[in-house]
Amino acid sequence: MASSRVILILSVSMVLLSSVSMATDHIVGDDKGWTVDFNYTQWAQKVVFRVGDNLVFNYNPSFHNVFKVNGTLFQNCTFPPENEALSTGKDIIPLKTEGRKWYVCGKGDHCVARQMKFVITVLEEGAPTPSSPPPSSTAHYVVSSVFGVVMTVAVGIATIFA
């Protein structure tokens, strides 16, 4: 009886930990990084963002920065005070909540004229993948789903034979 409880606790822990370890780091702009004249809107449409994932901004801090803004500031390319900018050149933003998120560069005319802005929609962890996801996001969802099913079956079998 005690071994069944241990197996159950281990199985539940593995399922919970698997979702944490499945988080993805999304390199903004892929190999181009955070720079001018790149279509970040198109880039973001190809990616599925989930709670627990991270956005990674790679850029030259002498020329760019990153602001997380609201929809109104995004539309108008206006920014919070400069001291609220991320400006290390390798900024990591954890996606902690679901919903719409807006990001812009606050240097020069980068937002308004050079396409350095994008919006994403963050899905809850484990939410079904949209109908046309990128291959890596599909793989993430399938591996996570299969792992959960396998662990559920293993717990069931362990309980029967314990």
Side-chain angles (χ1 to χ4, degrees), residues 38-102:
F38 181 86
N39 191 334
Y40 291 99
T41 300
Q42 187 176 31
W43 171 82
Q45 289 172 347
K46 297 178 183 176
V47 181
V48 175
F49 302 94
R50 296 183 187 284
V51 170
D53 290 352
N54 295 306
L55 287 180
V56 180
F57 289 83
N58 296 317
Y59 58 94
N60 182 333
S62 297
F63 302 114
H64 308 297
N65 62 18
V66 179
F67 282 102
K68 182 178 179 196
V69 296
N70 63 33
T72 302
L73 295 176
F74 176 84
Q75 289 298 326
N76 298 323
C77 279
T78 54
F79 320 106
E82 184 65 30
N83 67 345
E84 293 182 29
L86 301 175
S87 58
T88 67
K90 182 158 179 71
D91 300 313
I92 299 172
I93 299 176
L95 301 175
K96 296 179 180 178
T97 59
E98 61 186 272
R100 308 258 304 159
K101 315 288 180 198
W102 299 267

Side-chain angles (χ1 to χ4, degrees), residues 136-153:
S136 63
S137 294
T138 302
H140 167 94
Y141 181 70
V142 169
V143 168
S144 183
S145 298
V146 168
F147 185 78
V149 169
V150 169
M151 290 309 299
T152 302
V153 170

Side-chain angles (χ1 to χ4, degrees), residues 15 25 32 80 97 156 161:
V15 169
D25 285 342
K32 297 285 186 187
T97 59
F161 290 107

